[in-house]
Amino acid sequence: MANYDYDLFVIGGGSGGVRAARVAAQTGAKVGLAEADRYGGTCVIRGCVPKKLMVFASEFRDTVEDAAQYGWRVTSDGFDWLVFKTKMHAELDRLEGIYRNILSNNDVETFNSFAELTGPNDVLLADGRTLSAKTILIATGGRPATPDILGGGLAISSNEIFHLEEMPKSILVVGGGYIASEFAGVFNGLGTKVTQYYRGAQILRGFDDESRGLVADEMTRRGVDLHLGTNVLEMSEYAQGIRVMATNGQERTFDKVLFATGRIPNSGNLGLELVGIETGRSGEIIVDQYSRTSLPSVYAIGDVTDRVNLTPVAIREAMAFVETVFNNNPISPDHELIPTAIFTQPEMGTIGLSEEHAREQEPIEVYASSFKPMQTAFAARADRVLMKLVVSQKTRRVLGCHIVSPAAGEMIQMVGIAIKMGATKEDFDRVVAVHPTMAEELVTMKTPVRAG
Ligand code: NDP
């Protein structure tokens, strides 16, 4: 039998890679891991975590205003980006330290280096060292994809957003997905004048139409200048900022332009072609239901496989990989009925089928309630929320739940349990309302608003 340096070598120290390395090491395997950048990956260093901190920061503007409506004598001198930024990066340093400790406490040998494959069981580090492993796991994640247009280099991506020298006075956000819509809300809350260009008919394509419509309406009402059916043609440097020519004929100048136009797998320069690992059109590594690539000794998980690009999914894929390979218990990660939240303002929480997708599948009933929540209505705000259930007429199962409201992410996590268990509309109805809350609407909607 061949002798390898490691039982498992992981390339990539993000959420998926670190989880796989730790859990595999806990089975007694000898594990090595290479990470070229910072430990923690996109989620911890330049994604979910700093983004959510910025969302929190941006929401205080309304909180301060509402406090006055509730009788508090408060004044605000505005937002200090440098104070916040310093604290945010200290927090990211702390979290990165935790990730490093997780690895060292579990005897995972780490290499702060780029790594590439040179054979089915061989990895080459940047310093020329070659290491061998019985199994190799690629968990290199993804990176922002930006359109190739004239002057495109003047724009920033989500990677740079957390390192701005100062808060821009104006920003153009290009794109209509998760990242674009979240940052449009963040900058709007922090006091920047936000314009958003999205090339399609409505932002958040693929999600429930009524829900994304409400998110777009609310974002606009709160001050985001949203232009649908609009894209950037070219950009140039200008004394006052970045001059942008758009498909709607407008020429406008912005302090900053953010491209949030999707992400692509980090699969280049890994030697995949050399060792014969199959990739797809966007460079995603093709894997089977056990995350195994076309080369049997190599597995891949997370965004580099472009399945469902969410941190908790990468972690599930990591756990299933370790069960399969190190515990002799083949398990496929479950990609069905994944609850998710989009941290727009207002937030959206969603699981299962949109009304439109469900309607294509079978006859449905739609239960929906849109209203002004008590907390903000009292503060004289016009904010509206939406609670929506999409129900199968035949089985009565709740096929989808869509929530647009503050804390929608927290709510959808809980609703997700019921829906994953196959709850019917009548199961929801049997639950006594928690009063007064927004979520109580989910168990008190008696008559469908639409059917068919
Ligand atoms: P998305 O794929 O969600 O959105 C990309 C957006 O950019 C779409 O609106 C797309 O338009 C548009 N776009 C693509 N190419 C161009 C182009 N050439 N010119 C103009 N617009 C373009 O990607 P994101 O970057 O927002 O996020 C990447 C992934 O990261 C998400 O899919 C999600 O999995 C994950 N994520 C999850 C978060 C969460 O859970 N809260 C937060 C952030 C990211 P069109 O719709 O027409 O294709």
Side-chain angles (χ1 to χ4, degrees), residues 202-214 348 350-368 386 388-391 399-402 449-452:
Q202 184 55 281
I203 59 167
L204 300 172
R205 183 166 62 82
F207 291 102
D208 182 76
D209 277 356
E210 190 176 14
S211 308
R212 64 202 184 110
L214 179 60
M348 180 160 137
T350 177
I351 182 168
L353 297 178
S354 66
E355 178 179 341
E356 296 68 39
H357 284 129
R359 207 180 283 285
E360 279 168 18
Q361 182 180 291
E362 61 185 285
I364 54 163
E365 283 179 354
V366 176
Y367 295 81
L386 172 72
K388 177 167 175 177
L389 297 176
V390 179
V391 178
L399 303 173
C401 175
H402 312 284
V449 290
R450 286 181 292 283

Side-chain angles (χ1 to χ4, degrees), residues 167-445:
M167 265 293 114
K169 292 205 168 40
S170 63
I171 191 165
L172 170 67
V173 178
V174 184
Y178 278 79
I179 298 179
S181 305
E182 290 180 341
F183 276 107
V186 164
F187 281 100
N188 185 52
L190 294 177
T192 297
K193 172 108 202 56
V194 178
T195 305
Q196 185 177 0
Y197 287 171
Y198 172 52
R199 63 184 180 181
Q202 184 55 281
I203 59 167
L204 300 172
R205 183 166 62 82
F207 291 102
D208 182 76
D209 277 356
E210 190 176 14
S211 308
R212 64 202 184 110
L214 179 60
V215 171
D217 287 351
E218 286 287 310
M219 282 171 62
T220 307
R221 196 181 54 73
R222 291 166 194 218
V224 174
D225 183 17
L226 174 62
H227 295 251
L228 300 172
T230 307
N231 209 350
V232 176
L233 280 175
E234 62 176 72
M235 303 193 291
S236 51
E237 209 158 4
Y238 198 66
Q240 283 81 27
I242 302 166
R243 191 86 174 148
V244 176
M245 268 179 66
T247 51
N248 62 2
Q250 283 187 0
E251 252 189 75
R252 291 174 61 185
T253 306
F254 303 92
D255 275 358
K256 290 278 175 213
V257 176
L258 168 67
F259 277 148
T261 45
R263 294 177 60 84
I264 47 169
N266 269 334
S267 60
N269 306 324
L270 287 176
L272 301 183
E273 230 168 83
L274 179 88
V275 298
I277 290 178
E278 214 184 312
T279 54
R281 269 181 52 189
S282 319
E284 74 277 14
I285 298 179
I286 311 283
V287 290
D288 68 10
Q289 77 266 37
Y290 301 112
S291 301
R292 191 174 215 165
T293 72
S294 51
L295 190 62
S297 56
V298 181
Y299 290 71
I301 55 165
D303 287 8
V304 76
T305 62
D306 197 18
R307 286 176 282 181
V308 180
N309 298 332
L310 298 169
T311 298
V313 174
I315 290 172
R316 289 296 174 104
E317 290 168 359
M319 300 298 280
F321 158 76
V322 174
E323 260 322 281
T324 302
V325 176
F326 292 93
N327 287 334
N328 201 19
N329 177 26
I331 287 191
S332 302
D334 179 1
H335 291 117
E336 294 300 314
L337 287 174
I338 294 170
T340 181
I342 304 127
F343 295 100
T344 38
Q345 297 177 30
E347 207 167 295
M348 180 160 137
T350 177
I351 182 168
L353 297 178
S354 66
E355 178 179 341
E356 296 68 39
H357 284 129
R359 207 180 283 285
E360 279 168 18
Q361 182 180 291
E362 61 185 285
I364 54 163
E365 283 179 354
V366 176
Y367 295 81
S369 174
S370 181
F371 54 96
K372 287 184 177 179
M374 186 178 177
Q375 184 178 352
T376 43
F378 183 83
R381 282 194 191 281
D383 298 17
R384 293 195 77 79
V385 302
L386 172 72
M387 303 284 151
K388 177 167 175 177
L389 297 176
V390 179
V391 178
S392 162
Q393 282 191 20
K394 188 160 159 248
T395 65
R396 305 301 298 155
R397 277 177 72 156
V398 177
L399 303 173
C401 175
H402 312 284
I403 302 175
V404 178
S405 85
E410 305 289 344
M411 291 183 218
I412 207 70
Q413 181 70 82
M414 296 293 108
V415 174
I417 299 170
I419 293 187
K420 195 83 184 159
M421 289 173 74
T424 61
K425 173 69 172 65
E426 286 63 37
D427 290 325
F428 273 67
D429 294 346
R430 283 192 292 118
V431 180
V432 173
V434 178
H435 186 70
T437 63
M438 293 178 287
E440 67 180 300
E441 293 294 321
L442 290 169
V443 297
T444 53
M445 293 187 288

